[in-house]
Amino acid sequence: MALEITDASFEEVVLKSDKPVLVDFWAAWCGPCRMVAPIVDEISNEYDGKAVVGKVDVDNNQEFAAKYGVRNIPTVLIFKNGEVVDKQVGAAPKKTYTDKIDAAL
């Protein structure tokens, strides 16, 4: 399962990670977000130990969504060494996300 990331834990979990981090910005009312959720959970299991995979509920955690200019959801950001290195806006196939993580490994 993907980690639940909050504004309070974002810096520690994402920005200070020594591994690449996939962050899914989502909301419960968003249909495409619900389509992406099982893919993100699968990736979390497959990349366990190699990358950090987490989700930010933008309704409850707006600070970092705003900081990174997330205007449409789902938006998936890939972080490496605390910096955004890739981005996917809108639902996409699993391979799109895994290719982005692989590029950051």
Side-chain angles (χ1 to χ4, degrees), residues 25-103:
F25 290 87
W26 72 287
W29 48 264
C30 163
C33 297
R34 288 196 300 271
M35 290 168 33
V36 169
I39 295 170
V40 170
D41 285 338
E42 272 181 43
I43 293 169
S44 173
N45 293 334
E46 289 173 21
Y47 283 80
D48 188 34
K50 294 189 285 188
V52 176
V53 178
K55 302 164 71 77
V56 174
D57 181 340
V58 297
D59 286 340
N60 300 323
N61 301 282
Q62 298 174 354
E63 179 184 345
F64 287 94
K67 179 175 179 178
Y68 291 105
V70 174
R71 299 211 177 3
N72 300 308
I73 52 173
T75 291
V76 170
L77 300 180
I78 307 292
F79 288 81
K80 185 172 184 174
N81 300 322
E83 301 290 325
V84 176
V85 294
D86 213 335
K87 176 180 193 170
Q88 172 65 41
V89 179
K94 179 178 174 183
K95 183 165 175 25
T96 301
Y97 304 113
T98 57
D99 285 351
K100 291 177 185 304
I101 295 175
D102 290 342

